[in-house]
Amino acid sequence: MAKTGAFDSDPPVMAKATELKRELQKLVRTIVDVDDYPVEAIDQARETLHALKELRMRKRSLSLELREAMTCPEEFKCPLSKELMRDPVILSTGQTYDRPFIQKWLKAGNRTCPLTQQVLSHTLLIPNHLVREMIFQWCKIQGLELPDSVNYVNGEGLTEADRDHFLSLLQKMSSVLPEQKEAARELRLLTKRMPSFRALFSESVDAIPQLLRPLSESKSGSAVHPELQEDVITTLLNLSIHDNNKKLVAETPVVIPLLVETLRSGTIEARTNAAAALFTLSALDSNKALIGKSGALRPLTDLLEEGHPLAMKDAASAIFNLCILHENKARAVRDGAVKVIVEKIIIGAHVDELLAILAMLSSHQHAVEEIGELGGVPCLLQIIRESTCERSKENCIAILHTICFNDRNMWKVIREEESVYETVSKLARDGTSRAKRKANGILERLNKGINLTHTA
């Protein structure tokens, strides 16, 4: 008991708690006494309360750690941490582990039991109430305080009550429409505000299919309630932001087809967030291949062509990321991306982002031909003359360099530009090092072409 008391009176901890309480008092006074109080005060009060809760839980946890130095039975220790288990759970192989440590094992990509090395049939973690009760009784005899399962906070700040609430929300996704809408809206908000809720989806192979059930069981996107579709797709976007979820989300069979279907038939918000989800998922090369093969580039290009201000940036970002993979460049060119991009650049829409995509696609022969046919060369030269963005100038001259070496028909246009504005020559003198290299390459090519003509 002495150690626990010593900790409770630990000056730094008490000082921190006192500081948090004072801050909370100020915020509450502001909210109660000031009629036109700032909305941010509520968020700050919530964060302060959360910090107080975490401090309290850490104190209770440390109290246990200080006093459990006494030898506890081996069967009460987690095989991974070698420490007394706080929240024992059963893996599909029947082995028991402390929840935060087996979660860490699973989130690292392992799909085997650490003790038996058996491949797991599923990753659902089942509370081991018998072992927990035995540990509770042992702690009671030893005079130790073990946190209740409802109040036990794991390494990510979630309680058992949070986890039970999460599972109940997933169950509602298979219920009637009003309950589906309510659950989808709450899951969207929870996964936006709390990264720990995003991680919960990796605990069970059924969690993502349960989330998507209202969409996957619908025969067509038009039959889905618009708000429900928006909330589900946005939740999927929130999940894909979590690095440990990217592979799991993309490789869940129903996910990418549903995102592609949403791109074709969803509301503008749902389509925008579907594009954003494909962008975040495409951070992994293996996901780039999956998404490219799914036919996503065509509806992404259509979304870009429509030009909705909310959607263009996300669609462009997704196309750019996907086209880093060589085989997706051919798919993008085949699906009409070059025409759409050149037309958007000509009218001045999202020029910087679209030039980066066009520079990437210009390594494809058909893309080079299309750029020339669509009048892209004069536009690129004009951007070099007028833009103040060095990155855009670099991309323009890189595209022109590729065109110059693959399409002799464009030499005349570039020469005429040089005779009037000396656009390429100026960039060769004043541009970035990359731009200078490309500009000098074009000038050498043009001069060599003139000399060959004179010799002939």
Side-chain angles (χ1 to χ4, degrees), residues 47-78:
E47 289 171 7
T48 306
L49 277 170
H50 184 68
L52 272 170
K53 180 181 176 182
E54 283 191 339
L55 188 65
R56 180 64 182 159
M57 295 309 298
R58 283 202 298 272
K59 287 171 66 179
R60 294 179 68 181
S61 176
L62 186 54
S63 170
L64 177 60
E65 289 170 9
L66 288 170
R67 300 190 59 212
E68 72 179 22
M70 297 174 290
T71 304
C72 71
E74 286 298 316
E75 59 268 27
F76 294 167
K77 293 181 180 179
C78 173

PDB file of all heavy atoms in Angstrom, residues 47-78:
ATOM      1  N   GLU A  47     -11.211  17.764 -24.557  1.00  0.00           N
ATOM      2  CA  GLU A  47      -9.831  17.287 -24.578  1.00  0.00           C
ATOM      3  C   GLU A  47      -9.202  17.300 -23.184  1.00  0.00           C
ATOM      4  O   GLU A  47      -8.447  16.396 -22.815  1.00  0.00           O
ATOM      5  CB  GLU A  47      -8.997  18.165 -25.530  1.00  0.00           C
ATOM      6  CG  GLU A  47      -9.332  17.962 -26.999  1.00  0.00           C
ATOM      7  CD  GLU A  47      -8.657  18.981 -27.901  1.00  0.00           C
ATOM      8  OE1 GLU A  47      -7.824  19.764 -27.381  1.00  0.00           O
ATOM      9  OE2 GLU A  47      -8.957  18.999 -29.103  1.00  0.00           O
ATOM     10  N   THR A  48      -9.537  18.329 -22.400  1.00  0.00           N
ATOM     11  CA  THR A  48      -9.007  18.406 -21.030  1.00  0.00           C
ATOM     12  C   THR A  48      -9.547  17.267 -20.170  1.00  0.00           C
ATOM     13  O   THR A  48      -8.809  16.647 -19.393  1.00  0.00           O
ATOM     14  CB  THR A  48      -9.371  19.762 -20.394  1.00  0.00           C
ATOM     15  OG1 THR A  48      -8.919  20.818 -21.247  1.00  0.00           O
ATOM     16  CG2 THR A  48      -8.715  19.925 -19.032  1.00  0.00           C
ATOM     17  N   LEU A  49     -10.843  16.980 -20.306  1.00  0.00           N
ATOM     18  CA  LEU A  49     -11.434  15.855 -19.584  1.00  0.00           C
ATOM     19  C   LEU A  49     -10.765  14.539 -19.962  1.00  0.00           C
ATOM     20  O   LEU A  49     -10.487  13.686 -19.111  1.00  0.00           O
ATOM     21  CB  LEU A  49     -12.938  15.773 -19.876  1.00  0.00           C
ATOM     22  CG  LEU A  49     -13.853  16.691 -19.049  1.00  0.00           C
ATOM     23  CD1 LEU A  49     -15.254  16.673 -19.626  1.00  0.00           C
ATOM     24  CD2 LEU A  49     -13.867  16.240 -17.598  1.00  0.00           C
ATOM     25  N   HIS A  50     -10.509  14.381 -21.273  1.00  0.00           N
ATOM     26  CA  HIS A  50      -9.853  13.158 -21.749  1.00  0.00           C
ATOM     27  C   HIS A  50      -8.444  13.041 -21.154  1.00  0.00           C
ATOM     28  O   HIS A  50      -8.020  11.954 -20.753  1.00  0.00           O
ATOM     29  CB  HIS A  50      -9.781  13.166 -23.278  1.00  0.00           C
ATOM     30  CG  HIS A  50      -9.204  11.914 -23.860  1.00  0.00           C
ATOM     31  ND1 HIS A  50      -9.844  10.697 -23.792  1.00  0.00           N
ATOM     32  CD2 HIS A  50      -8.032  11.692 -24.511  1.00  0.00           C
ATOM     33  CE1 HIS A  50      -9.094   9.782 -24.381  1.00  0.00           C
ATOM     34  NE2 HIS A  50      -8.001  10.356 -24.814  1.00  0.00           N
ATOM     35  N   ALA A  51      -7.736  14.173 -21.069  1.00  0.00           N
ATOM     36  CA  ALA A  51      -6.386  14.155 -20.497  1.00  0.00           C
ATOM     37  C   ALA A  51      -6.427  13.781 -19.020  1.00  0.00           C
ATOM     38  O   ALA A  51      -5.576  13.027 -18.533  1.00  0.00           O
ATOM     39  CB  ALA A  51      -5.728  15.525 -20.677  1.00  0.00           C
ATOM     40  N   LEU A  52      -7.438  14.291 -18.285  1.00  0.00           N
ATOM     41  CA  LEU A  52      -7.597  13.929 -16.879  1.00  0.00           C
ATOM     42  C   LEU A  52      -7.878  12.441 -16.716  1.00  0.00           C
ATOM     43  O   LEU A  52      -7.338  11.779 -15.826  1.00  0.00           O
ATOM     44  CB  LEU A  52      -8.750  14.735 -16.265  1.00  0.00           C
ATOM     45  CG  LEU A  52      -8.399  16.105 -15.666  1.00  0.00           C
ATOM     46  CD1 LEU A  52      -9.672  16.863 -15.318  1.00  0.00           C
ATOM     47  CD2 LEU A  52      -7.527  15.947 -14.427  1.00  0.00           C
ATOM     48  N   LYS A  53      -8.714  11.919 -17.623  1.00  0.00           N
ATOM     49  CA  LYS A  53      -9.038  10.491 -17.571  1.00  0.00           C
ATOM     50  C   LYS A  53      -7.797   9.648 -17.811  1.00  0.00           C
ATOM     51  O   LYS A  53      -7.541   8.666 -17.109  1.00  0.00           O
ATOM     52  CB  LYS A  53     -10.110  10.161 -18.614  1.00  0.00           C
ATOM     53  CG  LYS A  53     -10.502   8.688 -18.639  1.00  0.00           C
ATOM     54  CD  LYS A  53     -11.547   8.425 -19.711  1.00  0.00           C
ATOM     55  CE  LYS A  53     -11.870   6.937 -19.793  1.00  0.00           C
ATOM     56  NZ  LYS A  53     -12.843   6.640 -20.853  1.00  0.00           N
ATOM     57  N   GLU A  54      -7.010  10.034 -18.819  1.00  0.00           N
ATOM     58  CA  GLU A  54      -5.794   9.283 -19.126  1.00  0.00           C
ATOM     59  C   GLU A  54      -4.817   9.317 -17.948  1.00  0.00           C
ATOM     60  O   GLU A  54      -4.178   8.314 -17.627  1.00  0.00           O
ATOM     61  CB  GLU A  54      -5.117   9.857 -20.377  1.00  0.00           C
ATOM     62  CG  GLU A  54      -5.791   9.459 -21.669  1.00  0.00           C
ATOM     63  CD  GLU A  54      -4.952   9.829 -22.876  1.00  0.00           C
ATOM     64  OE1 GLU A  54      -4.078  10.710 -22.745  1.00  0.00           O
ATOM     65  OE2 GLU A  54      -5.175   9.232 -23.935  1.00  0.00           O
ATOM     66  N   LEU A  55      -4.689  10.480 -17.300  1.00  0.00           N
ATOM     67  CA  LEU A  55      -3.795  10.608 -16.156  1.00  0.00           C
ATOM     68  C   LEU A  55      -4.244   9.681 -15.032  1.00  0.00           C
ATOM     69  O   LEU A  55      -3.431   8.993 -14.408  1.00  0.00           O
ATOM     70  CB  LEU A  55      -3.788  12.058 -15.676  1.00  0.00           C
ATOM     71  CG  LEU A  55      -2.759  12.418 -14.599  1.00  0.00           C
ATOM     72  CD1 LEU A  55      -1.348  12.265 -15.142  1.00  0.00           C
ATOM     73  CD2 LEU A  55      -2.982  13.841 -14.112  1.00  0.00           C
ATOM     74  N   ARG A  56      -5.555   9.656 -14.808  1.00  0.00           N
ATOM     75  CA  ARG A  56      -6.099   8.794 -13.760  1.00  0.00           C
ATOM     76  C   ARG A  56      -5.856   7.323 -14.077  1.00  0.00           C
ATOM     77  O   ARG A  56      -5.460   6.535 -13.202  1.00  0.00           O
ATOM     78  CB  ARG A  56      -7.591   9.056 -13.605  1.00  0.00           C
ATOM     79  CG  ARG A  56      -8.287   8.214 -12.537  1.00  0.00           C
ATOM     80  CD  ARG A  56      -7.739   8.527 -11.163  1.00  0.00           C
ATOM     81  NE  ARG A  56      -8.367   7.699 -10.145  1.00  0.00           N
ATOM     82  CZ  ARG A  56      -7.851   7.459  -8.961  1.00  0.00           C
ATOM     83  NH1 ARG A  56      -6.689   7.997  -8.638  1.00  0.00           N
ATOM     84  NH2 ARG A  56      -8.491   6.706  -8.086  1.00  0.00           N
ATOM     85  N   MET A  57      -6.065   6.938 -15.345  1.00  0.00           N
ATOM     86  CA  MET A  57      -5.872   5.537 -15.729  1.00  0.00           C
ATOM     87  C   MET A  57      -4.410   5.139 -15.631  1.00  0.00           C
ATOM     88  O   MET A  57      -4.081   4.019 -15.255  1.00  0.00           O
ATOM     89  CB  MET A  57      -6.392   5.301 -17.147  1.00  0.00           C
ATOM     90  CG  MET A  57      -7.897   5.481 -17.296  1.00  0.00           C
ATOM     91  SD  MET A  57      -8.867   4.570 -16.078  1.00  0.00           S
ATOM     92  CE  MET A  57      -8.395   2.896 -16.463  1.00  0.00           C
ATOM     93  N   ARG A  58      -3.512   6.059 -15.984  1.00  0.00           N
ATOM     94  CA  ARG A  58      -2.080   5.752 -15.877  1.00  0.00           C
ATOM     95  C   ARG A  58      -1.686   5.558 -14.420  1.00  0.00           C
ATOM     96  O   ARG A  58      -0.867   4.711 -14.090  1.00  0.00           O
ATOM     97  CB  ARG A  58      -1.255   6.867 -16.508  1.00  0.00           C
ATOM     98  CG  ARG A  58      -1.228   6.835 -18.020  1.00  0.00           C
ATOM     99  CD  ARG A  58      -0.020   7.574 -18.556  1.00  0.00           C
ATOM    100  NE  ARG A  58      -0.035   8.987 -18.194  1.00  0.00           N
ATOM    101  CZ  ARG A  58      -0.622   9.932 -18.914  1.00  0.00           C
ATOM    102  NH1 ARG A  58      -1.248   9.611 -20.029  1.00  0.00           N
ATOM    103  NH2 ARG A  58      -0.596  11.198 -18.542  1.00  0.00           N
ATOM    104  N   LYS A  59      -2.281   6.368 -13.529  1.00  0.00           N
ATOM    105  CA  LYS A  59      -1.995   6.220 -12.099  1.00  0.00           C
ATOM    106  C   LYS A  59      -2.433   4.846 -11.606  1.00  0.00           C
ATOM    107  O   LYS A  59      -1.702   4.166 -10.893  1.00  0.00           O
ATOM    108  CB  LYS A  59      -2.731   7.318 -11.310  1.00  0.00           C
ATOM    109  CG  LYS A  59      -2.133   8.698 -11.459  1.00  0.00           C
ATOM    110  CD  LYS A  59      -3.018   9.756 -10.834  1.00  0.00           C
ATOM    111  CE  LYS A  59      -3.106   9.605  -9.336  1.00  0.00           C
ATOM    112  NZ  LYS A  59      -3.953  10.664  -8.728  1.00  0.00           N
ATOM    113  N   ARG A  60      -3.625   4.430 -12.010  1.00  0.00           N
ATOM    114  CA  ARG A  60      -4.124   3.124 -11.573  1.00  0.00           C
ATOM    115  C   ARG A  60      -3.266   2.003 -12.138  1.00  0.00           C
ATOM    116  O   ARG A  60      -2.967   1.021 -11.465  1.00  0.00           O
ATOM    117  CB  ARG A  60      -5.578   2.946 -12.027  1.00  0.00           C
ATOM    118  CG  ARG A  60      -6.533   3.899 -11.359  1.00  0.00           C
ATOM    119  CD  ARG A  60      -7.946   3.702 -11.847  1.00  0.00           C
ATOM    120  NE  ARG A  60      -8.469   2.418 -11.417  1.00  0.00           N
ATOM    121  CZ  ARG A  60      -9.686   1.990 -11.732  1.00  0.00           C
ATOM    122  NH1 ARG A  60     -10.475   2.731 -12.482  1.00  0.00           N
ATOM    123  NH2 ARG A  60     -10.122   0.820 -11.301  1.00  0.00           N
ATOM    124  N   SER A  61      -2.872   2.160 -13.402  1.00  0.00           N
ATOM    125  CA  SER A  61      -2.052   1.131 -14.046  1.00  0.00           C
ATOM    126  C   SER A  61      -0.693   1.019 -13.376  1.00  0.00           C
ATOM    127  O   SER A  61      -0.197  -0.068 -13.111  1.00  0.00           O
ATOM    128  CB  SER A  61      -1.888   1.467 -15.532  1.00  0.00           C
ATOM    129  OG  SER A  61      -1.038   0.543 -16.142  1.00  0.00           O
ATOM    130  N   LEU A  62      -0.084   2.178 -13.060  1.00  0.00           N
ATOM    131  CA  LEU A  62       1.230   2.159 -12.442  1.00  0.00           C
ATOM    132  C   LEU A  62       1.153   1.591 -11.029  1.00  0.00           C
ATOM    133  O   LEU A  62       2.058   0.908 -10.564  1.00  0.00           O
ATOM    134  CB  LEU A  62       1.822   3.564 -12.414  1.00  0.00           C
ATOM    135  CG  LEU A  62       3.264   3.676 -11.913  1.00  0.00           C
ATOM    136  CD1 LEU A  62       4.178   2.755 -12.700  1.00  0.00           C
ATOM    137  CD2 LEU A  62       3.754   5.109 -11.973  1.00  0.00           C
ATOM    138  N   SER A  63       0.030   1.875 -10.331  1.00  0.00           N
ATOM    139  CA  SER A  63      -0.162   1.317  -9.006  1.00  0.00           C
ATOM    140  C   SER A  63      -0.089  -0.198  -9.055  1.00  0.00           C
ATOM    141  O   SER A  63       0.540  -0.844  -8.218  1.00  0.00           O
ATOM    142  CB  SER A  63      -1.530   1.752  -8.464  1.00  0.00           C
ATOM    143  OG  SER A  63      -1.843   1.054  -7.284  1.00  0.00           O
ATOM    144  N   LEU A  64      -0.727  -0.776 -10.070  1.00  0.00           N
ATOM    145  CA  LEU A  64      -0.694  -2.223 -10.229  1.00  0.00           C
ATOM    146  C   LEU A  64       0.716  -2.704 -10.562  1.00  0.00           C
ATOM    147  O   LEU A  64       1.219  -3.663  -9.988  1.00  0.00           O
ATOM    148  CB  LEU A  64      -1.680  -2.642 -11.327  1.00  0.00           C
ATOM    149  CG  LEU A  64      -1.715  -4.145 -11.664  1.00  0.00           C
ATOM    150  CD1 LEU A  64      -2.099  -4.952 -10.437  1.00  0.00           C
ATOM    151  CD2 LEU A  64      -2.681  -4.398 -12.801  1.00  0.00           C
ATOM    152  N   GLU A  65       1.387  -1.991 -11.497  1.00  0.00           N
ATOM    153  CA  GLU A  65       2.720  -2.424 -11.913  1.00  0.00           C
ATOM    154  C   GLU A  65       3.708  -2.391 -10.756  1.00  0.00           C
ATOM    155  O   GLU A  65       4.578  -3.260 -10.640  1.00  0.00           O
ATOM    156  CB  GLU A  65       3.220  -1.519 -13.043  1.00  0.00           C
ATOM    157  CG  GLU A  65       2.491  -1.739 -14.350  1.00  0.00           C
ATOM    158  CD  GLU A  65       2.828  -0.685 -15.378  1.00  0.00           C
ATOM    159  OE1 GLU A  65       3.754   0.095 -15.115  1.00  0.00           O
ATOM    160  OE2 GLU A  65       2.160  -0.644 -16.418  1.00  0.00           O
ATOM    161  N   LEU A  66       3.592  -1.370  -9.893  1.00  0.00           N
ATOM    162  CA  LEU A  66       4.518  -1.247  -8.774  1.00  0.00           C
ATOM    163  C   LEU A  66       4.335  -2.387  -7.775  1.00  0.00           C
ATOM    164  O   LEU A  66       5.295  -2.849  -7.173  1.00  0.00           O
ATOM    165  CB  LEU A  66       4.305   0.105  -8.079  1.00  0.00           C
ATOM    166  CG  LEU A  66       4.799   1.331  -8.849  1.00  0.00           C
ATOM    167  CD1 LEU A  66       4.308   2.594  -8.157  1.00  0.00           C
ATOM    168  CD2 LEU A  66       6.319   1.341  -8.935  1.00  0.00           C
ATOM    169  N   ARG A  67       3.099  -2.830  -7.621  1.00  0.00           N
ATOM    170  CA  ARG A  67       2.818  -3.797  -6.566  1.00  0.00           C
ATOM    171  C   ARG A  67       2.777  -5.229  -7.057  1.00  0.00           C
ATOM    172  O   ARG A  67       2.737  -6.150  -6.251  1.00  0.00           O
ATOM    173  CB  ARG A  67       1.490  -3.440  -5.890  1.00  0.00           C
ATOM    174  CG  ARG A  67       1.512  -2.050  -5.270  1.00  0.00           C
ATOM    175  CD  ARG A  67       0.318  -1.802  -4.407  1.00  0.00           C
ATOM    176  NE  ARG A  67       0.260  -2.774  -3.338  1.00  0.00           N
ATOM    177  CZ  ARG A  67      -0.872  -3.230  -2.813  1.00  0.00           C
ATOM    178  NH1 ARG A  67      -2.020  -2.809  -3.281  1.00  0.00           N
ATOM    179  NH2 ARG A  67      -0.851  -4.120  -1.833  1.00  0.00           N
ATOM    180  N   GLU A  68       2.750  -5.445  -8.381  1.00  0.00           N
ATOM    181  CA  GLU A  68       2.685  -6.822  -8.859  1.00  0.00           C
ATOM    182  C   GLU A  68       4.073  -7.416  -9.040  1.00  0.00           C
ATOM    183  O   GLU A  68       4.272  -8.420  -9.705  1.00  0.00           O
ATOM    184  CB  GLU A  68       1.910  -6.910 -10.176  1.00  0.00           C
ATOM    185  CG  GLU A  68       2.656  -6.332 -11.362  1.00  0.00           C
ATOM    186  CD  GLU A  68       1.880  -6.451 -12.644  1.00  0.00           C
ATOM    187  OE1 GLU A  68       0.670  -6.590 -12.593  1.00  0.00           O
ATOM    188  OE2 GLU A  68       2.507  -6.412 -13.704  1.00  0.00           O
ATOM    189  N   ALA A  69       5.069  -6.731  -8.426  1.00  0.00           N
ATOM    190  CA  ALA A  69       6.428  -7.261  -8.475  1.00  0.00           C
ATOM    191  C   ALA A  69       6.492  -8.625  -7.808  1.00  0.00           C
ATOM    192  O   ALA A  69       7.379  -9.423  -8.089  1.00  0.00           O
ATOM    193  CB  ALA A  69       7.381  -6.293  -7.778  1.00  0.00           C
ATOM    194  N   MET A  70       5.532  -8.872  -6.906  1.00  0.00           N
ATOM    195  CA  MET A  70       5.432 -10.211  -6.326  1.00  0.00           C
ATOM    196  C   MET A  70       5.176 -11.213  -7.444  1.00  0.00           C
ATOM    197  O   MET A  70       4.503 -10.905  -8.419  1.00  0.00           O
ATOM    198  CB  MET A  70       4.266 -10.263  -5.325  1.00  0.00           C
ATOM    199  CG  MET A  70       4.444  -9.344  -4.133  1.00  0.00           C
ATOM    200  SD  MET A  70       2.983  -9.331  -3.096  1.00  0.00           S
ATOM    201  CE  MET A  70       1.830  -8.460  -4.125  1.00  0.00           C
ATOM    202  N   THR A  71       5.676 -12.417  -7.304  1.00  0.00           N
ATOM    203  CA  THR A  71       5.531 -13.425  -8.347  1.00  0.00           C
ATOM    204  C   THR A  71       4.076 -13.838  -8.485  1.00  0.00           C
ATOM    205  O   THR A  71       3.444 -14.246  -7.503  1.00  0.00           O
ATOM    206  CB  THR A  71       6.383 -14.669  -8.019  1.00  0.00           C
ATOM    207  OG1 THR A  71       7.727 -14.257  -7.831  1.00  0.00           O
ATOM    208  CG2 THR A  71       6.296 -15.695  -9.121  1.00  0.00           C
ATOM    209  N   CYS A  72       3.539 -13.701  -9.705  1.00  0.00           N
ATOM    210  CA  CYS A  72       2.165 -14.150  -9.951  1.00  0.00           C
ATOM    211  C   CYS A  72       2.215 -15.482 -10.697  1.00  0.00           C
ATOM    212  O   CYS A  72       3.217 -15.803 -11.342  1.00  0.00           O
ATOM    213  CB  CYS A  72       1.395 -13.108 -10.745  1.00  0.00           C
ATOM    214  SG  CYS A  72       1.906 -12.948 -12.459  1.00  0.00           S
ATOM    215  N   PRO A  73       1.151 -16.274 -10.640  1.00  0.00           N
ATOM    216  CA  PRO A  73       1.133 -17.564 -11.345  1.00  0.00           C
ATOM    217  C   PRO A  73       1.433 -17.388 -12.839  1.00  0.00           C
ATOM    218  O   PRO A  73       0.974 -16.423 -13.462  1.00  0.00           O
ATOM    219  CB  PRO A  73      -0.304 -18.051 -11.119  1.00  0.00           C
ATOM    220  CG  PRO A  73      -0.758 -17.350  -9.879  1.00  0.00           C
ATOM    221  CD  PRO A  73      -0.095 -16.011  -9.906  1.00  0.00           C
ATOM    222  N   GLU A  74       2.189 -18.303 -13.407  1.00  0.00           N
ATOM    223  CA  GLU A  74       2.584 -18.215 -14.816  1.00  0.00           C
ATOM    224  C   GLU A  74       1.377 -18.163 -15.741  1.00  0.00           C
ATOM    225  O   GLU A  74       1.398 -17.501 -16.769  1.00  0.00           O
ATOM    226  CB  GLU A  74       3.483 -19.402 -15.192  1.00  0.00           C
ATOM    227  CG  GLU A  74       4.893 -19.314 -14.652  1.00  0.00           C
ATOM    228  CD  GLU A  74       5.638 -18.103 -15.194  1.00  0.00           C
ATOM    229  OE1 GLU A  74       5.537 -17.838 -16.405  1.00  0.00           O
ATOM    230  OE2 GLU A  74       6.303 -17.412 -14.398  1.00  0.00           O
ATOM    231  N   GLU A  75       0.296 -18.889 -15.370  1.00  0.00           N
ATOM    232  CA  GLU A  75      -0.878 -18.925 -16.254  1.00  0.00           C
ATOM    233  C   GLU A  75      -1.606 -17.591 -16.310  1.00  0.00           C
ATOM    234  O   GLU A  75      -2.478 -17.386 -17.154  1.00  0.00           O
ATOM    235  CB  GLU A  75      -1.851 -20.027 -15.819  1.00  0.00           C
ATOM    236  CG  GLU A  75      -2.377 -19.891 -14.407  1.00  0.00           C
ATOM    237  CD  GLU A  75      -1.528 -20.649 -13.385  1.00  0.00           C
ATOM    238  OE1 GLU A  75      -0.320 -20.840 -13.637  1.00  0.00           O
ATOM    239  OE2 GLU A  75      -2.098 -21.036 -12.356  1.00  0.00           O
ATOM    240  N   PHE A  76      -1.237 -16.654 -15.399  1.00  0.00           N
ATOM    241  CA  PHE A  76      -1.847 -15.330 -15.426  1.00  0.00           C
ATOM    242  C   PHE A  76      -1.010 -14.342 -16.238  1.00  0.00           C
ATOM    243  O   PHE A  76      -1.397 -13.188 -16.400  1.00  0.00           O
ATOM    244  CB  PHE A  76      -2.016 -14.789 -14.007  1.00  0.00           C
ATOM    245  CG  PHE A  76      -2.993 -15.552 -13.163  1.00  0.00           C
ATOM    246  CD1 PHE A  76      -3.054 -15.360 -11.788  1.00  0.00           C
ATOM    247  CD2 PHE A  76      -3.861 -16.482 -13.735  1.00  0.00           C
ATOM    248  CE1 PHE A  76      -3.958 -16.061 -11.004  1.00  0.00           C
ATOM    249  CE2 PHE A  76      -4.764 -17.191 -12.959  1.00  0.00           C
ATOM    250  CZ  PHE A  76      -4.813 -16.987 -11.587  1.00  0.00           C
ATOM    251  N   LYS A  77       0.140 -14.776 -16.717  1.00  0.00           N
ATOM    252  CA  LYS A  77       1.015 -13.887 -17.487  1.00  0.00           C
ATOM    253  C   LYS A  77       0.755 -14.035 -18.980  1.00  0.00           C
ATOM    254  O   LYS A  77       0.514 -15.144 -19.474  1.00  0.00           O
ATOM    255  CB  LYS A  77       2.490 -14.208 -17.201  1.00  0.00           C
ATOM    256  CG  LYS A  77       2.942 -13.889 -15.787  1.00  0.00           C
ATOM    257  CD  LYS A  77       4.430 -14.215 -15.613  1.00  0.00           C
ATOM    258  CE  LYS A  77       4.910 -13.905 -14.206  1.00  0.00           C
ATOM    259  NZ  LYS A  77       6.346 -14.240 -14.032  1.00  0.00           N
ATOM    260  N   CYS A  78       0.824 -12.920 -19.704  1.00  0.00           N
ATOM    261  CA  CYS A  78       0.674 -12.954 -21.157  1.00  0.00           C
ATOM    262  C   CYS A  78       1.922 -13.588 -21.777  1.00  0.00           C
ATOM    263  O   CYS A  78       3.044 -13.193 -21.435  1.00  0.00           O
ATOM    264  CB  CYS A  78       0.483 -11.541 -21.695  1.00  0.00           C
ATOM    265  SG  CYS A  78       0.486 -11.434 -23.500  1.00  0.00           S
TER     266      CYS A  78
END
